Amino acid sequence: MSSASLIQGLRHARVLVLHPQDRDSDELARQLKRIGCHVDLTWPPPASVPDGIDVIYFLLDSDQASRRSWRSGDLRAALIAVIDFENPTILKELLDSNAHGVLVRPIRPAGVLSTLVLALSNRNYETRLLGKVAKLEETLKARREIERATRIIMKLRGLSESHAYEFIRRQATAKRISTAAIATSIIHAQNILSELDSSG
């Protein structure tokens, strides 16, 4: 996502502020609404976060650090921690929270927009990386299954590795599905035959 589209998207962003209602939360909500965000202020933190939330500001202090049950789900929101001071305990909690940004109280107008943009950019980058990792894991799994299926065909038909792989590839082309799908079918069939042999 480009920086221009990221900034334009702020006007449609849904922001959840998990912070007691006080001067800081009022100032934060005021600045976010000025930017154009849709803001919900909630305290105490809920057990789970509603769907469709883009950004979560959450108070991180010594009392609330261990009470983050709302983090248990698969959150897709950018996380911005709100802290009072910087001591080793809070810094450790900040790192453990995997926040994409941080604001220090008292909240001031300066820094709210830049922190919001940076946090959303970091979250988008993280999402892209996770997507690439998932694709790599899927590719590696498919490759392992193709290798396993190739060995099964080599044994059953007495073929060389290259000829066994070519057999799998031809089957995939004929059926218009991936070689990984054919490999999975071969492995499942082999497992069923093995179970029949053992039960017989």
Side-chain angles (χ1 to χ4, degrees):
M1 182 182 290
S2 68
S3 57
S5 59
L6 180 64
I7 293 170
Q8 287 174 356
L10 294 178
R11 292 196 170 274
H12 306 288
R14 286 190 60 198
V15 179
L16 179 63
V17 178
L18 304 179
H19 192 290
Q21 189 155 11
D22 58 16
R23 245 186 284 181
D24 286 311
S25 64
D26 290 344
E27 180 62 30
L28 179 56
R30 183 163 44 251
Q31 294 305 319
L32 291 170
K33 288 175 182 175
R34 186 174 294 171
I35 292 166
C37 302
H38 304 282
V39 182
D40 291 316
L41 178 61
T42 302
W43 193 259
S48 61
V49 173
D51 292 335
I53 296 296
D54 300 302
V55 184
I56 300 172
Y57 286 83
F58 63 98
L59 177 63
L60 184 65
D61 62 18
S62 56
D63 294 329
Q64 297 300 323
S66 61
R67 288 187 254 162
R68 293 197 297 276
S69 57
W70 55 271
R71 292 292 310 276
S72 59
D74 180 23
L75 287 177
R76 300 185 181 277
L79 302 175
I80 301 176
V82 179
I83 64 174
D84 277 311
F85 44 83
E86 299 164 322
N87 63 27
T89 301
I90 289 296
L91 291 177
K92 180 183 182 306
E93 291 292 343
L94 180 61
L95 291 173
D96 290 344
S97 74
N98 294 321
H100 304 101
V102 61
L103 277 179
V104 180
R105 297 195 297 183
I107 303 294
R108 296 181 177 87
V112 172
L113 177 58
S114 57
T115 300
L116 178 61
V117 171
L118 183 62
L120 284 167
S121 178
N122 286 339
R123 178 54 179 149
N124 288 341
Y125 178 67
E126 181 183 89
T127 300
R128 289 196 301 273
L129 284 182
L130 290 173
K132 288 179 181 179
V133 168
K135 282 187 178 179
L136 284 172
E137 289 176 344
E138 190 177 322
T139 300
L140 287 172
K141 180 184 176 186
R143 187 169 294 175
R144 285 194 295 268
E145 294 208 333
I146 290 169
E147 289 173 355
R148 184 178 170 191
T150 300
R151 289 194 298 272
I152 291 170
I153 296 300
M154 288 170 65
K155 184 176 179 182
L156 289 175
R157 298 206 164 201
L159 299 175
S160 66
E161 183 177 352
S162 61
H163 284 94
Y165 174 77
E166 184 60 26
F167 170 81
I168 293 171
R169 196 186 66 77
R170 283 199 310 270
Q171 292 295 314
T173 302
K175 292 177 172 56
R176 296 185 179 181
I177 58 177
S178 67
T179 52
I182 289 291
T184 301
S185 298
I186 291 170
I187 292 167
H188 285 328
Q190 174 70 10
N191 289 340
I192 291 169
L193 289 174
S194 297
E195 288 174 8
L196 288 174
D197 287 344
S198 62
S199 62

